[in-house]
Every structure is written in structure tokens, then in C-alpha cells.
Amino acid sequence: MQAADAGRARLTAALADVARGDRAALRLVHDLTSAKLFGVCLRICQDREIAADIVQESYLKVWQRAGRFDPAKASPITWLCAIARNGAIDWCRANRVAVAPVEEAADIADDTPSAPEMIETRQSDARIQHCLDELGGSPAEAIRAAFFGGYTYAQLAERMKVPLGTMKSWVRRGLAQLKDCIGDG
């Protein structure tokens, strides 16, 4: 329970700072609450892009109205959710979209990666970066530019002032070394 109280106190303090015009505090409020507010908006309007837009509009309202927040009347997350919820309902009414009943919330698909998938992706990305760092030099630079920058062999050869055949060899050998390095991980 102490963690919840600490979180509430932190959010209350951040909202007080937002009321004084502190942009960093608004960023903190956003970071602490955006997932929750997005879920509220998505449940109501059932459209990811619209929900994201409504959440952004909600933070504009928070910026303008933070001075009206009274921690004696409501918890900060309740106040923030009310702003987002009202924005989503207003959007549904303005666009003649039926508001989804709360029971349907479980049926809304979430196509974002799960936490284990995100961890696996980050670990894989970190392993690739580590192997590129170990590869080093011109081959690593060429592979990064080709795969992350979208350059062709010809563009890379011109950019790095080497013959096209040399560039192809660097990339081919570098990819073979990367494959070995990543396979060892």
C-alpha cells in the first residue's frame, strides 16, 4: 500500500508543478499515466489512432487545467482518467459512434508486443549491436549504413571511397562474422 501512496503523492506533486507551468512535470505526468489513459480511451472509442489523439488532447487539457485539480476531492489518476474518458465520449458523440460498453473491453485486440516479446527484441537488438561493435571498422560502418540507413552497395562504395567490389566483400565477410557472433550468443 505504501507504494500506491507514494505513487499518488508523486503524481499529485507533479500536477501541482504542472499548474505552475513546469513542462518537465507534464512529461512526468505523461510518462506515469499515458498507458492507463490510452487504455481508457481505447476501450471507449475502439480505435488506436483516435485513442492516441484523444490522449494527447487530454494532456493539453491537463496543462491548461492542472490548477483545478484538488487532491482532497479525487486521486490524481481518477482526475486524469475523467479528463480522458470525457474526451473519448465527446469524440464518440461528435462522430456518432456508439460508446462501447465496459464489458467489451476484454474483446479489444491489443496488437502491441507483449512484455516478453519486447524484452526478447531488445536483447536481440543489443546482441546485434554488440556483435557490430566487435566487428568494428569499415565493415561494421558499411553494414550499419546499409541495413539501418538504407544505402545500396554503390552508394556505400562512393560514400566510403572504395571500389564496389571491396564494399561487397566487406559486407559479405562482415555478415558472415555477424552470423557467427550472433549464433554464439
Side-chain angles (χ1 to χ4, degrees):
M1 191 65 173
Q2 288 179 336
D5 290 341
R8 181 179 179 154
R10 184 177 182 200
L11 198 49
T12 299
L15 284 170
D17 290 342
V18 171
R20 288 188 289 275
D22 185 339
R23 290 175 189 245
L26 181 63
R27 170 51 91 189
L28 177 62
V29 170
H30 178 275
D31 292 347
L32 293 172
T33 63
S34 61
K36 173 84 170 173
L37 299 189
F38 179 75
V40 168
C41 294
L42 181 60
R43 179 184 55 79
I44 294 168
C45 64
Q46 298 185 358
D47 183 298
R48 295 186 76 77
E49 288 182 32
I50 299 298
D53 289 344
I54 294 167
V55 169
Q56 291 308 317
E57 289 173 18
S58 297
Y59 287 108
L60 289 174
K61 290 176 183 172
V62 168
W63 178 253
Q64 296 163 346
R65 302 177 187 170
R68 298 182 196 170
F69 171 65
D70 182 354
K73 293 182 180 176
S75 75
I77 195 66
T78 300
W79 185 74
L80 292 163
C81 284
I83 292 172
R85 180 182 175 278
N86 292 341
I89 290 171
D90 289 347
W91 180 87
C92 288
R93 287 180 183 151
N95 291 282
R96 301 193 192 295
V97 174
V99 175
V102 75
E103 295 80 23
E104 291 182 16
D107 296 333
I108 297 173
D110 182 5
D111 58 0
T112 58
S114 66
E117 289 170 330
M118 290 187 335
I119 290 169
E120 186 177 325
T121 299
R122 285 189 182 138
Q123 288 174 339
S124 177
D125 291 350
R127 182 72 185 154
I128 290 169
Q129 290 303 325
H130 168 76
C131 290
L132 279 168
D133 290 345
E134 283 201 356
L135 180 61
S138 298
E141 183 183 340
I143 290 171
R144 280 188 172 106
F147 289 92
F148 302 128
Y151 289 92
T152 65
Y153 287 126
Q155 290 170 325
L156 288 170
E158 182 178 321
R159 182 177 178 205
M160 297 176 79
K161 299 181 182 1
V162 296
L164 182 59
T166 300
M167 180 56 60
K168 289 180 178 181
S169 295
W170 282 354
V171 172
R172 186 176 54 252
R173 284 193 306 261
L175 288 174
Q177 289 175 303
L178 280 177
K179 182 179 176 187
D180 290 341
C181 178
I182 292 169
D184 292 343

